[in-house]
Amino acid sequence: MTNVRALVLERQHELKLRDIDLPQTVGPGEVRIKIHTVGICGSDVHYYTHGRIGPFVVEAPMVLGHEAAGTVVETGERVEHLKVGDRVCMEPGIPDLNSRASRLGLYNIDPAVRFWATPPIHGVLTPYVVHPANYTFKLPDNVSFAEGAMVEPFAVGMQAAAKAKIAPGDTAVVIGAGPIGTMVAIAALAGGCARAVVADLAQPKLDIAGGYQGVIPVNVRDKNLGTEVKRLTDGWGADVVFECSGSSKAWETLLDLPRPGGAVVVVGLPVAPIAFDVATASTKEVRIETVFRYAHQYERAIALMGSGRVDLKPLISGTFPFEDSITAFDRAVEARPADVKLQILLPD
């Protein structure tokens, strides 16, 4: 263990920039990475404001941050696909490769997965981190560190699009225009949807999402989403509906949106159990899919970004130096309507 500077969540409502002991020794199959950019995720903010997410409770000081990109500065034995100087992003969840879930290819739902900034595992808002090379991915030359730090949330969108089983020309509806909702829409369009209706209450977020070709923004303060979907689909309904808001209210009319035989992909997590209209789901034979993080999506996400098909730069709303990390988190807590993704730059 080495004493290093980091952004530490001491307990609910208390952040400190201070020194903390973190592992820095590189073992076989591992790389040491100089962190350049870290994005602030909603889960980071939730741990800050609530001290827990479901069963994961902050019971000891924890370094925050799991959306990261940086440069390899040291490689361990048996690392062949990476070298010192490579620009990389990192998949933050490390499963038990011998678990049944991992052997089935479902490593994201391995109960033993160790995920950055999920208690009790430390995150990466610190200058250096050691990570398995097999979960470290080289960035194309035309993808910046800022974009590299967006691969993690975009991978959630990619997972949602994959679970939807999109067919070319499909119409999608995305409820929620936050970072994940907007990236789900982008992934759905890249996956073959002809259009994605994105619904939210915040017009500034809708304006950002609406800047992407194929996105049809709908402010549900002014328009009824069900009516708009029927108008756009001649009364048939959407091929796939992505619920990304986590709002229990969204479920009150959500099953009115998919077409008969359509799909609903659940991405947002309500804070409490919701009522579910089984009768409507059954009579329409709606297929229900759920998403928890992602599996096997990083390389596909990076390929889309490197090809120029996907540009996530418009979603970056603000960048803060490492020494202003607490200010950055306090702004994230404000949830300004025009903010999509805030990032923190580590010192050179």
Side-chain angles (χ1 to χ4, degrees):
M1 303 292 279
T2 304
N3 213 29
V4 295
R5 192 159 174 80
L7 180 68
V8 181
L9 178 61
E10 304 286 1
R11 58 187 60 82
Q12 182 183 1
H13 300 312
E14 184 180 346
L15 284 171
K16 283 186 181 178
L17 272 173
R18 67 170 176 88
D19 290 347
I20 187 172
D21 280 338
L22 296 176
Q24 295 288 299
T25 302
V26 178
E30 295 181 330
V31 292
R32 188 166 181 249
I33 301 145
K34 187 182 188 312
I35 300 295
H36 184 284
T37 304
V38 179
I40 299 176
C41 177
S43 66
D44 294 316
V45 175
H46 202 83
Y47 283 124
Y48 178 31
T49 57
H50 291 75
R52 66 183 299 156
I53 297 177
F56 300 103
V57 182
V58 178
E59 297 177 334
M62 180 181 76
V63 178
L64 290 174
H66 63 263
E67 304 175 2
T71 304
V72 174
V73 294
E74 184 180 351
T75 60
E77 296 177 7
R78 302 199 302 270
V79 175
E80 297 181 353
H81 69 287
L82 295 171
K83 65 183 185 301
V84 171
D86 282 345
R87 299 166 57 256
V88 295
C89 63
M90 297 75 76
E91 188 167 344
I94 309 304
D96 173 3
L97 296 180
N98 294 314
S99 72
R100 189 167 185 173
S102 293
R103 287 186 285 112
L104 289 169
L106 306 172
Y107 65 87
N108 57 313
I109 51 174
D110 173 17
V113 69
R114 295 167 57 85
F115 199 93
W116 282 342
T118 299
I121 308 303
H122 288 301
V124 293
L125 269 164
T126 187
Y128 294 90
V129 67
V130 175
H131 199 57
N134 285 340
Y135 293 85
T136 303
F137 299 86
K138 189 173 179 180
L139 294 172
D141 292 341
N142 63 329
V143 174
S144 66
F145 286 117
E147 294 167 281
M150 298 282 276
V151 172
E152 197 279 338
F154 185 50
V156 177
M158 295 287 289
Q159 181 83 353
K163 295 293 284 285
K165 299 179 182 176
I166 292 165
D170 273 356
T171 292
V173 171
V174 180
I175 301 174
I180 294 298
T182 301
M183 284 190 257
V184 165
I186 294 168
L189 290 164
C193 282
R195 52 189 176 174
V197 179
V198 177
D200 203 286
L201 297 164
Q203 190 60 46
K205 284 184 170 59
L206 289 170
D207 290 341
I208 294 168
Y212 286 91
Q213 184 175 0
V215 169
I216 302 171
V218 174
N219 191 322
V220 293
R221 291 187 190 275
D222 307 323
K223 295 180 180 179
N224 180 277
L225 179 59
T227 300
E228 285 298 298
V229 171
K230 286 180 179 179
R231 182 182 66 81
L232 291 165
T233 62
D234 295 326
W236 179 235
D239 298 291
V240 58
V241 177
F242 298 94
E243 205 309 287
C244 302
S245 71
S247 168
S248 58
K249 187 171 179 58
W251 283 92
E252 295 176 6
T253 55
L254 185 134
L255 291 174
D256 296 337
L257 303 175
R259 63 167 172 82
V264 170
V265 182
V266 185
V267 184
L269 299 177
V271 296
I274 59 165
F276 180 72
D277 185 354
V278 175
T280 299
S282 295
T283 55
K284 294 176 78 170
E285 283 202 351
V286 172
R287 175 170 54 90
I288 309 292
E289 298 281 358
T290 58
V291 168
F292 184 65
R293 297 173 179 158
Y294 38 76
H296 314 292
Q297 298 297 344
Y298 260 57
E299 289 176 321
R300 293 175 182 273
I302 293 167
L304 278 171
M305 295 166 70
S307 72
R309 288 277 306 282
V310 166
D311 179 11
L312 301 180
K313 293 189 294 293
L315 306 184
I316 301 171
S317 306
T319 304
F320 296 77
F322 181 56
E323 292 301 317
D324 291 342
S325 292
I326 297 173
T327 300
F329 267 77
D330 287 338
R331 173 162 158 183
V333 170
E334 293 178 28
R336 298 181 185 180
D339 282 351
V340 178
K341 177 60 64 176
L342 302 177
Q343 293 186 330
I344 294 171
L345 295 183
L346 279 291
D348 292 334

